[in-house]
Amino acid sequence: MRELEMSNTLLDWYDRHARDLPWRVSPSDRAAGVCPDAYRVWLSEIMLQQTTVAAVKSYYERFTSLWPSVTALASAEDAQVMGEWAGLGYYARARNLLKCARVVAENYGGRFPETAESLQKLPGVGPYTSAAISAIAFDAPEVVVDGNVERVIARMFAIRTPLPAAKPEIKERAAKLTPVTRPGDYAQAVMDLGATVCTPRSPACGICPWMTACAARKLGIQAELPAKTPKKPKPTRRGTAYVVRRADGAWLLERRPDKGLLGGMLGWPGSEWSETPVPAPPLEAPWQKLSAEARHTFTHFHLRLDVEVAVVPASTQPEIGEFIPKEDFKPTELPTVMRKVFDLAKEKLQNLN
DNA sequence: TACGCGTGGTA
DNA sequence: TTACCAAGCGT
């Protein structure tokens, strides 16, 4: 199949099978001249980095409802944005989201630049996201390559080189397929194909619009591709989290530094997380160690946290962190590992409500 | 180039 | 239970 025939075949498939997503303009609306709002495209693309559509949907609805425009988001309080992002993960995205919104509001008059080259200069916007925004929001013929596209292309051309070494070859192949007409729909079509048909495990080759052109399928190796360089094993780290409740119901919390793990997020005071952590209670108190531990797995290590709880007098002044009044404390604003600690500790401390 | 950086679903 | 995986970026 020629390149033009392939892209047309996929666009026909997309016209019939495009998923209905909150941030998407349907192919029929697009044909009628409707353009997606660059702010919404950008917001969705940042949220979708390494994150599933199912996880993103409710966050996207909440963010667009609270902040309908990039200028509105630029004016938001850091703490509120971090709190709304809690649970979605990769918190550097939220910090860069705010930075980017403020750059667009202050340096670009609230309008996103249209070229991938300009977009990639913005915080948190890399090669994939810049191309995706330019293609989807402005219909520019950019080559959009994400994990889905890598998988589809690696299979289509039976590229056996493991990722990430195969990226340049994949990008070349993807570039030759990218059409000049409807590049925004085409970019979303390849990603939809990867997400719904050319899936990582047990791809549905029988219903694939590109079935006859696929080299991996001819060889029967589609499920083995793309090859990946093996991952390192995850070590286990340990630590202790301290949950303090003041007699008036306030909770002792600490804002983590902007850089590093869970940067900028609220959390419980605690020891370092390491193979042999040193206990580090935030204040003197009659500590009670819980029998259960909080378990959580991050990208590169497993964590097992002991949880110690204490109730302290209403007059207690914190040396570390800050007492948050009970009416201001929202567990949903905690990153998931900290919410797990809370869920273990709350039964022992809830009698102060 | 390789690593640090979250979370929830799935097999 | 464990390992793998998902619309990557910054350093």
Side-chain angles (χ1 to χ4, degrees):
Chain A
M1 241 193 284
R2 312 276 309 193
E3 287 85 0
L4 186 59
E5 188 186 348
M6 283 188 66
S7 59
N8 281 334
T9 300
L10 188 59
L11 283 165
D12 286 344
W13 173 84
Y14 183 69
D15 287 338
R16 286 176 281 117
H17 297 287
R19 288 180 293 172
D20 184 20
L21 302 172
W23 46 86
R24 175 172 286 176
V25 169
S26 70
S28 54
D29 283 353
R30 220 178 230 281
V34 178
C35 275
D37 177 3
Y39 166 65
R40 290 174 177 251
V41 175
W42 163 74
L43 178 63
S44 67
E45 290 299 341
I46 300 298
M47 288 182 166
L48 287 162
Q49 288 169 6
Q50 299 293 102
T51 308
T52 58
V53 166
V56 163
K57 274 184 179 168
S58 63
Y59 285 85
Y60 175 83
E61 302 286 9
R62 183 101 180 120
F63 269 69
T64 51
S65 166
L66 283 168
W67 303 294
S69 67
V70 69
T71 50
L73 180 57
S75 306
E77 297 282 346
D78 292 40
Q80 190 188 2
V81 173
M82 299 310 289
E84 290 295 337
W85 197 277
L88 200 54
Y90 285 135
Y91 298 100
R93 292 185 296 173
R95 302 194 300 275
N96 284 329
L97 188 81
L98 257 174
K99 274 190 207 166
C100 182
R102 288 167 182 163
V103 169
V104 172
E106 288 162 26
N107 301 356
Y108 291 90
R111 293 169 185 238
F112 279 85
E114 300 193 8
T115 66
E117 189 186 351
S118 307
L119 286 161
Q120 202 176 326
K121 295 193 171 80
L122 297 169
V125 179
Y128 161 73
T129 306
S130 59
I133 297 171
S134 189
I136 296 170
F138 303 112
D139 234 7
E142 293 291 339
V143 184
V144 179
V145 181
D146 72 336
N148 285 308
V149 180
E150 285 176 352
R151 185 171 59 256
V152 170
I153 298 293
R155 287 173 176 168
M156 189 62 47
F157 298 100
I159 296 169
R160 296 166 188 268
T161 311
L163 287 168
K167 279 172 184 272
E169 184 181 355
I170 288 172
K171 176 105 183 217
E172 278 179 40
R173 296 286 198 174
K176 288 184 182 168
L177 285 173
T178 303
V180 178
T181 57
R182 302 181 64 190
D185 278 343
Y186 173 80
Q188 294 175 93
V190 189
M191 292 191 280
D192 265 24
L193 186 70
T196 64
V197 176
C198 194
T199 50
R201 285 177 281 216
S202 57
C205 299
I207 59 167
C208 181
W210 279 355
M211 170 172 57
T212 58
C214 183
R217 183 168 185 276
K218 284 192 182 79
L219 296 166
I221 59 170
Q222 64 271 28
E224 269 82 301
L225 297 181
K228 296 191 177 178
T229 51
K231 291 177 175 128
K232 287 186 174 177
K234 291 188 207 299
T236 297
R237 296 186 196 169
R238 295 160 200 280
T240 303
Y242 300 91
V243 181
V244 181
R245 194 120 198 241
R246 215 167 53 182
D248 63 353
W251 301 85
L252 183 61
L253 288 154
E254 190 178 14
R255 175 81 57 188
R256 299 172 65 89
D258 269 346
K259 297 206 175 203
L261 191 66
L262 308 178
M265 299 300 291
L266 275 182
W268 307 108
S271 71
E272 52 170 343
W273 297 343
S274 66
E275 209 165 310
T276 54
V278 180
L283 44 74
E284 196 135 341
W287 293 107
Q288 226 189 314
K289 183 179 164 186
L290 302 188
S291 53
E293 62 184 1
R295 290 190 180 201
H296 191 75
T297 299
F298 293 98
T299 311
H300 52 296
F301 65 94
H302 301 292
L303 179 64
R304 300 170 69 141
L305 276 183
D306 283 327
V307 180
E308 299 203 19
V309 303
V311 177
V312 299
S315 60
T316 304
Q317 295 301 314
E319 297 163 31
I320 289 174
E322 183 185 356
F323 280 105
I324 308 290
K326 63 174 188 283
E327 58 272 20
D328 294 343
F329 172 58
K330 299 182 187 68
T332 58
E333 295 188 350
L334 298 176
T336 299
V337 62
M338 298 298 175
R339 194 176 44 68
K340 287 181 182 177
V341 170
F342 172 72
D343 288 341
L344 289 175
K346 65 183 177 190
E347 280 116 72
K348 292 252 176 201
L349 298 169
Q350 244 166 7
N351 51 339
L352 294 176
N353 278 330

